[in-house]
Amino acid sequence: MTSQTLRRRLHHGDIDGGRYDRFEASGIDSLNEPLLGSRDQDLNGHGFGDVLDDERNKERMHWTRVFSNLIAQWAQWFANFITGSGSVVGWLLPFVSGSQNGANNHLPPLLLSPLQEARLKHLKQRLAVPFDGSFSEHQDALRQLWRLAYPDRRLPSLKSELWKEMGWQGSDPSTDFRGGGFISLENLIFFAKMYPEAFQNLLHKRDGDRSEWEYPFAVAGINISFMLVQMLDLQSGKPRTLAGQHFLELLGEDEMAFDNLFCVAFKMLDVQWLVKRASYMEFNDVLKSTRAQLERELALEDVESVRDLPAYNLLKR
């Protein structure tokens, strides 16, 4: 089993690098060389198959615990959102537990136009829809995403190891949405439809010199969606952060401003990933800097639509 093999397995796990330090040390310390030699016997006389089974069992137990915790955290967040508490408890990513700019939380709410009110209400309705793998509409959306991502490949069943290639944590992508939301999947589909070249470049990691440990594409997209929800303060009645209030102005110009902003944020994250020469364990840091850069661009005076953001030009490359 080579380091490349291990790298592929780890692509689809917890995106929180901070949790990564609990992975088996033997795997981390030997990534620059094969984990085992070419022979089928280790020093203790155990067969290669036995050792591999042990490693797989340890890995499976580790990621089961990790993702059980994440699912519970997302469920708590979503329960708070739906009940209108306005608080975010147990957010998925550690870095978003505090405001990037605390003073922004105390801005008075904006007076919205009827159009802004209607579009904000519609967006909140989308945010309130959890993903449900038993719904045919949601199943069809997953299939649509696959067809957009891999137009020349056969559509797999909804439970297949092939989904891992897109960056889902396991063979059943629906498990990544528990406590999350259907809007994350809608964001990915929108990206694939509206900016197919940029989408394909990110999916296949075509740009730049990539890390040995890359971030998983699909799970990263889910994290970006929910980073935007908090950054824009969409869990509140009316956004009271500076970024959120600027976003309302964009929403008045573009009904799909959130989806377009998702595409910009995803491309911006990948560019920063390459500039920083980041690897898997640094994903949170890159996402933090992506959020900060996005907040700065939203605050520019001449930005009246998502297409006015300087980073929007990245989607054209």
Side-chain angles (χ1 to χ4, degrees):
M1 181 170 59
T2 67
S3 61
Q4 184 178 8
T5 303
L6 181 61
R7 176 168 67 97
R8 287 200 298 270
R9 293 204 326 245
L10 296 181
H11 281 180
H12 315 296
D14 180 13
I15 203 135
D16 177 6
R19 304 176 190 273
Y20 205 50
D21 56 9
R22 295 198 299 273
F23 193 79
E24 297 296 326
S26 61
I28 293 175
D29 294 339
S30 57
L31 283 177
N32 292 326
E33 57 186 8
L35 295 179
L36 297 173
S38 59
R39 304 182 62 175
D40 285 354
Q41 294 290 119
D42 69 358
L43 295 177
N44 295 321
H46 296 296
F48 175 82
D50 294 334
V51 175
L52 185 58
D53 286 341
D54 287 342
E55 290 299 314
R56 285 173 174 168
N57 288 334
K58 290 177 183 178
E59 182 186 18
R60 188 179 300 111
M61 292 176 63
H62 168 74
W63 291 120
T64 298
R65 288 193 300 269
V66 167
F67 281 98
S68 293
N69 290 335
L70 293 183
I71 289 166
Q73 290 169 358
W74 272 20
Q76 181 63 59
W77 181 91
F78 216 77
N80 284 329
F81 177 81
I82 293 175
T83 56
S85 66
S87 62
V88 179
V89 179
W91 186 252
L92 172 63
L93 299 173
F95 84 87
V96 295
S97 60
S99 173
Q100 294 262 335
N101 193 341
N104 287 342
N105 288 333
H106 305 289
L107 294 175
L110 289 178
L111 181 62
L112 304 182
S113 69
L115 180 61
Q116 288 173 315
E117 289 274 10
R119 288 180 174 177
L120 179 60
K121 180 180 179 181
H122 177 64
L123 178 56
K124 285 178 173 288
Q125 289 172 342
R126 292 176 63 197
L127 290 171
V129 178
F131 183 89
D132 190 331
S134 67
F135 286 4
S136 60
E137 177 187 354
H138 294 191
Q139 294 173 358
D140 290 342
L142 273 175
R143 296 186 182 101
Q144 181 183 17
L145 179 63
W146 178 274
R147 294 189 183 98
L148 290 167
Y150 307 110
D152 299 324
R153 296 179 60 180
R154 180 179 62 85
L155 177 69
S157 65
L158 292 176
K159 292 183 180 181
S160 168
E161 293 295 309
L162 293 176
W163 288 99
K164 294 180 181 180
E165 297 180 22
M166 194 186 292
W168 301 102
Q169 71 174 33
S171 60
D172 182 3
S174 67
T175 60
D176 286 333
F177 292 98
R178 292 178 188 172
F182 184 55
I183 195 170
S184 333
L185 182 54
E186 290 181 317
N187 290 155
L188 288 168
I189 291 172
F190 180 89
F191 195 178
K193 284 183 174 180
M194 300 303 297
Y195 309 100
E197 184 175 355
F199 177 90
Q200 290 292 331
N201 288 341
L202 289 178
L203 172 65
H204 297 290
K205 304 292 196 301
R206 290 172 177 165
D207 296 332
D209 295 327
R210 312 305 305 196
S211 166
E212 177 69 13
W213 288 350
E214 278 291 318
Y215 62 84
F217 175 80
V219 176
I222 294 174
N223 280 273
I224 291 170
S225 295
F226 284 92
M227 177 273 286
L228 290 176
V229 171
Q230 190 179 21
M231 183 189 81
L232 302 176
D233 197 27
L234 294 175
Q235 73 277 5
S236 300
K238 289 183 180 179
R240 300 185 65 172
T241 64
L242 188 59
Q245 294 192 352
H246 284 308
F247 171 74
L248 292 177
E249 298 172 3
L250 306 186
L251 195 61
E253 297 295 324
D254 177 11
E255 184 177 8
M256 306 304 292
F258 184 85
D259 301 78
N260 276 307
L261 197 60
F262 168 86
C263 302
V264 172
F266 210 147
K267 183 62 179 179
M268 183 186 292
L269 177 140
D270 193 70
V271 169
Q272 294 210 26
W273 178 269
L274 294 173
V275 169
K276 294 176 181 293
R277 298 181 180 273
S279 64
Y280 191 96
M281 291 183 288
E282 298 168 290
F283 182 87
N284 277 349
D285 292 334
V286 175
L287 195 51
K288 281 168 62 175
S289 61
T290 299
R291 171 174 171 165
Q293 179 62 29
L294 200 54
E295 287 176 328
R296 286 192 291 269
E297 293 200 8
L298 284 170
L300 295 175
E301 293 183 359
D302 57 347
V303 171
E304 298 180 356
S305 72
V306 175
R307 289 170 173 77
D308 293 331
L309 295 170
Y312 180 80
N313 292 320
L314 296 173
L315 293 171
K316 303 175 183 177
R317 295 179 182 177

